[in-house]
Amino acid sequence: MKIRDLDLSDNPINAEHQALGLPPVENALTHSADHPVLRFAMWSVVFLLMGVTIYLGTRLFNQPDGHTGFQIIAQTLESRAFWNAVAVGLLAQTVDGALGMAYGITSTSFLLATGSSPAVASAAVHIAEVFTTGVSGITHIKLGNVNKNLFLRLLVPGIIGASTGAWIVSSVDGNAIKPFIAAYLLVMGLYVISKIFRKIRTRHEEPRHVAKLGLLGGFVDAIGGGGWGPVVTTTLVGTGHDPRMTIGSVNLAEFFLTFVSAGVFAMLVGESPWPTVAGLVIGGLFAAPLAAMLTKRLHTKALLALVGTVISLISLYNLYQALQ
């Protein structure tokens, strides 16, 4: 028999569980930010973000064509593409941080509409997501939205899948598999919505097949410019696992696989729309803490409704576009 270390305090999560007839949660979940593994993950995110920022700043102010960094910044701020991307980044990251999905799909759709190739669009989104997912992951740790075991089980398979997908989409057009992914996500979205109309019984046992799910999620994310959240979060939530912990854990793991896939794209894709990348980053940074706070406060049924509705609508749109 497992001996549980229960959190018996009057925290909002326990109040919600009591209303649903569920037992109190464990201290490992309500105080997950105190775990050494998650502290290490959080500081890893911080130092990796600092390293990327220093590297990009060095490149910005050491241009081979003679332009100064300040001239490039001024040109970017005058660019319409930059401000459009700021708006898209703000919207996409608010949705992604609260639901654990849809940043890549929203942003990639915008870039493809402007004429970018699938490989360039996916590269730009993943470079931007290094910053947005990093801030979102740190915030989820601080708010106790991360399950350590689920995070670790997703991490390595997700990285392998993402790096493989990034290598393939840089060589082959990934649009051919989009109809199949969209159909799968539509079914999962409708299944999640169906759970709203019956009494929610959140599972507390460890989810199964997490490694396979992470491998698939990372792969389709790199192929289609988005999909980690929809594939992984939708499947886990749809099979009865707690939406709050699932979203936080999936978002934290997403930073590390995005970091790796962005590096692969940077090596294999020659061009990148830097004003758009900058806009996505700035818009997303403003939204990330707000979205994590929203996840912390929303009722479980509200999260299920949002996850299911967003996934169903996006999947219907993607399926329609792919079949044209």
Side-chain angles (χ1 to χ4, degrees):
M1 183 180 79
K2 178 182 177 182
I3 299 176
R4 301 183 66 211
D5 179 21
L6 297 178
D7 179 4
L8 301 178
S9 63
D10 295 330
N11 65 70
I13 300 177
N14 272 339
E16 180 182 330
H17 276 235
Q18 184 178 5
L20 295 172
L22 299 172
V25 293
E26 297 189 38
N27 272 305
L29 296 182
T30 57
H31 297 84
S32 59
D34 297 333
H35 197 283
V37 170
L38 295 184
R39 285 204 304 272
F40 177 79
M42 182 177 67
W43 285 108
S44 297
V45 173
V46 171
F47 285 118
L48 287 172
L49 286 177
M50 290 174 59
V52 171
T53 302
I54 293 171
Y55 169 74
L56 293 178
T58 302
R59 286 194 58 181
L60 176 64
F61 289 95
N62 289 277
Q63 294 292 322
D65 57 4
H67 288 85
T68 67
F70 294 108
Q71 289 176 325
I72 296 174
I73 292 173
Q75 292 172 1
T76 300
L77 292 176
E78 295 173 357
S79 168
R80 182 177 180 180
F82 169 78
W83 292 108
N84 287 340
V86 169
V88 171
L90 182 65
L91 173 63
Q93 184 57 35
T94 299
V95 174
D96 182 86
L99 303 182
M101 62 189 68
Y103 179 90
I105 294 174
T106 304
S107 303
T108 303
S109 298
F110 165 75
L111 293 178
L112 292 176
T114 63
S116 297
S117 68
V120 171
S122 187
V125 169
H126 281 83
I127 293 170
E129 279 190 313
V130 168
F131 297 92
T132 57
T133 58
V135 174
S136 181
I138 291 172
T139 310
H140 278 299
I141 292 176
K142 286 293 187 180
L143 293 174
N145 293 340
V146 179
N147 182 314
K148 171 186 67 72
N149 292 332
L150 180 58
F151 161 69
L152 292 176
R153 293 171 68 188
L154 288 170
L155 184 61
V156 175
I159 290 174
I160 294 173
S163 56
T164 303
W167 177 75
I168 291 176
V169 79
S170 299
S171 307
V172 179
D173 189 354
N175 287 330
I177 66 171
K178 283 187 178 180
F180 302 100
I181 298 172
Y184 164 75
L185 295 177
L186 175 60
V187 172
M188 290 305 299
L190 294 174
Y191 178 69
V192 171
I193 292 175
S194 73
K195 296 181 71 64
I196 301 170
F197 302 102
R198 49 187 168 173
K199 190 173 181 63
I200 299 173
R201 291 294 182 184
T202 306
R203 297 184 182 181
H204 293 283
E205 69 269 18
E206 291 292 330
R208 302 172 60 188
H209 308 299
V210 173
K212 297 176 183 176
L213 189 62
L215 187 68
L216 174 64
F219 179 78
V220 298
D221 181 81
I223 288 288
W228 169 256
V231 169
V232 179
T233 302
T234 302
T235 303
L236 292 175
V237 173
T239 52
H241 297 283
D242 181 66
R244 182 176 292 107
M245 289 298 174
T246 298
I247 290 168
S249 305
V250 170
N251 268 15
L252 179 60
E254 185 177 15
F255 165 78
F256 293 96
L257 68 95
T258 299
F259 186 88
V260 172
S261 58
V264 174
F265 276 123
M267 291 187 294
L268 298 178
V269 178
E271 57 173 314
S272 183
W274 288 108
T276 303
V277 172
L280 292 174
V281 170
I282 293 174
L285 289 179
F286 278 104
L290 175 64
M293 287 292 295
L294 186 63
T295 303
K296 183 72 174 180
R297 303 300 179 204
L298 281 179
H299 190 277
T300 304
K301 284 190 175 182
L303 280 173
L304 286 169
L306 285 171
V307 169
T309 302
V310 169
I311 278 298
S312 297
L313 292 176
I314 291 175
S315 300
L316 279 172
Y317 173 77
N318 285 342
L319 191 58
Y320 171 78
Q321 291 290 101
L323 295 177
Q324 291 299 303

